[in-house]
Amino acid sequence: MTELIRCSWTGMAGNAAYIAYHDDEWGRPLTGDDAVFERVALEAFQSGLSWLTILRKRENFRAAFDRFSIVKVAAYTEQDVERLLGDEGIVRNRAKIEAVVGNARAAMDLSEGLSDLVWRYADPDAPVPGSMADVPAITPGSKALAKELKKHGFRFVGPTTAYALMQAIGLVNDHIEGCVARSR
């Protein structure tokens, strides 16, 4: 029996949820304003932490942030921020929580919608990485996306975070050559 090839980062955690995320979600096209907003928010929370930490808390984040409804989160008040700071099921970082609320308000102001704005930066012709060493942390596209989001008032969206978003929602396909999930 041939062993399945996966991107090496899945083995770092040795976790079934991590492998399922890699195989079934990471790099697959994701659209829709609320769905993309969720990923923008979770990537912001991940900043400085492991993705596995966020993945393990994802359902808690969804419950705490009204399933990442842009309309609902944009209406959050200081009381909601305080409620979130007391929620042990999520990452309790005031700057990140306030950024997510502010990002929802910024998303509300986008005439084209968040999903359409982000998908303008898709790079379907990105080279196929032979190994994870070939996967960049920042690209010209991620720099441009981060700049565009910041121009519209988004926070916690630097070029590295923007590239992680691009990878997560399928704007680029960074599954390594031969990876079981590359062609799915």
Side-chain angles (χ1 to χ4, degrees), residues 5-149:
I5 297 171
R6 286 190 173 89
C7 299
S8 60
W9 59 263
T10 61
M12 289 189 275
N15 179 292
Y18 218 39
I19 291 170
Y21 172 73
H22 168 271
D23 289 359
D24 301 327
E25 289 185 61
W26 191 72
R28 297 224 182 164
L30 178 74
T31 58
D33 289 343
D34 288 347
V36 171
F37 175 66
E38 174 181 345
R39 290 302 182 79
V40 169
L42 293 179
E43 292 295 346
F45 274 107
Q46 187 272 329
S47 185
L49 302 171
S50 81
W51 178 248
L52 186 57
T53 298
I54 303 307
L55 189 60
R56 287 178 172 153
K57 294 176 177 276
R58 183 164 57 170
E59 288 306 317
N60 297 334
F61 276 111
R62 287 173 172 164
F65 282 92
D66 288 301
R67 315 279 322 152
F68 291 99
S69 163
I70 293 171
V71 171
K72 289 179 181 178
V73 176
Y76 280 10
T77 65
E78 182 58 34
Q79 287 178 309
D80 292 297
V81 171
E82 293 301 321
R83 169 184 58 81
L84 292 164
L85 284 168
D87 188 333
E88 294 180 5
I90 66 168
V91 173
R92 296 176 294 171
N93 177 302
R94 180 179 289 278
K96 291 178 180 181
I97 291 169
E98 289 176 345
V100 170
V101 174
N103 290 350
R105 292 174 183 153
M108 292 282 296
D109 291 338
L110 296 173
S111 60
E112 66 187 300
L114 180 59
S115 183
D116 286 348
L117 181 149
V118 168
W119 272 93
R120 283 194 281 130
Y121 294 89
D123 187 3
D125 298 322
V128 177
S131 73
M132 293 311 294
D134 298 328
V135 176
I138 296 172
T139 64
S142 76
K143 289 178 184 177
L145 174 57
K147 184 177 179 180
E148 177 86 8
L149 289 169

